[in-house]
Amino acid sequence: MTDGGPGGLREMRWWDIEPVLELERAVFPEDAWSPGMFWSELALAHGPRRSRHYVVADGPGGAAAGYAGLAVAGDQADVQTIAVAPDRQGTGLGARLLTELLAAAGAAGCGEVFLEVRVDNTRAQRLYTRFGFEPLGIRRGYYQPGNHDALVMRRTAPHDHPDES
């Protein structure tokens, strides 16, 4: 993982929750995570039984340009969230965030990585497909309260892809 700096990725800490929440509400207005959800996830990101990996990319003026999180359970991982500020979309930041999560999954010995993505989020689906994720099925009404369906995708390792280098 790269160190802080503009656009650099660094470990998400508790003081990042407020800027991340602002971005969360901007990117996912219907189904944004609550502060408690982020606090719970970050609580699992430290200590000997660590099962989460969260990173943030700094934007101007203390804003978050993007963030991402991964949950690990045994030899499987789940991409919990990825968000990129609207003005940073299309710059490769989403790919860098996903690359970081996949590296963390690999370091944890995960053979499979799963994720859910809204069925109408074709931009994110294209990114995931580039990284070797394949569709598995649909979860009806997964995203609440808007009752939007999710496409479940899986990536098996090892998977070498030119976008990850």
Side-chain angles (χ1 to χ4, degrees):
M1 179 171 34
T2 59
D3 251 351
L9 303 184
R10 61 177 177 76
E11 180 182 13
M12 187 186 294
R13 303 300 298 228
W14 66 266
W15 51 81
D16 295 309
I17 290 177
E18 280 307 315
V20 162
L21 281 169
E22 287 180 32
L23 180 53
E24 174 81 2
R25 292 179 192 118
V27 175
F28 307 116
E30 278 189 84
D31 44 24
W33 282 19
S34 69
M37 292 171 78
F38 279 106
W39 279 103
S40 294
E41 289 294 293
L42 289 184
L44 297 170
H46 299 282
R49 300 185 83 122
R50 174 185 172 150
S51 64
R52 301 294 191 270
H53 180 75
Y54 276 77
V55 293
V56 64
D58 292 320
Y67 59 90
L70 182 80
V72 174
D75 65 351
Q76 296 181 344
D78 190 70
V79 173
Q80 300 289 85
T81 186
I82 292 183
V84 174
D87 65 339
R88 295 290 303 273
Q89 291 178 4
T91 66
L93 179 55
R96 286 184 26 235
L97 289 163
L98 183 56
T99 297
E100 173 64 27
L101 296 186
L102 294 175
C110 296
E112 295 179 302
V113 180
F114 295 87
L115 60 81
E116 293 85 18
V117 58
R118 273 180 55 155
V119 294
D120 60 353
N121 190 345
T122 55
R123 181 180 213 152
Q125 290 174 35
R126 282 192 304 271
L127 171 67
Y128 301 141
T129 299
R130 271 189 16 230
F131 278 79
F133 284 87
E134 297 176 346
L136 288 180
I138 302 290
R139 288 195 175 149
R140 303 277 177 222
Y142 181 80
Y143 292 101
Q144 294 297 325
N147 201 38
H148 297 281
D149 296 343
L151 174 64
V152 179
M153 301 183 82
R154 177 183 66 189
R155 177 185 191 264
T156 56
H159 182 84
D160 297 322
H161 195 280
D163 287 336
E164 295 179 49
S165 53

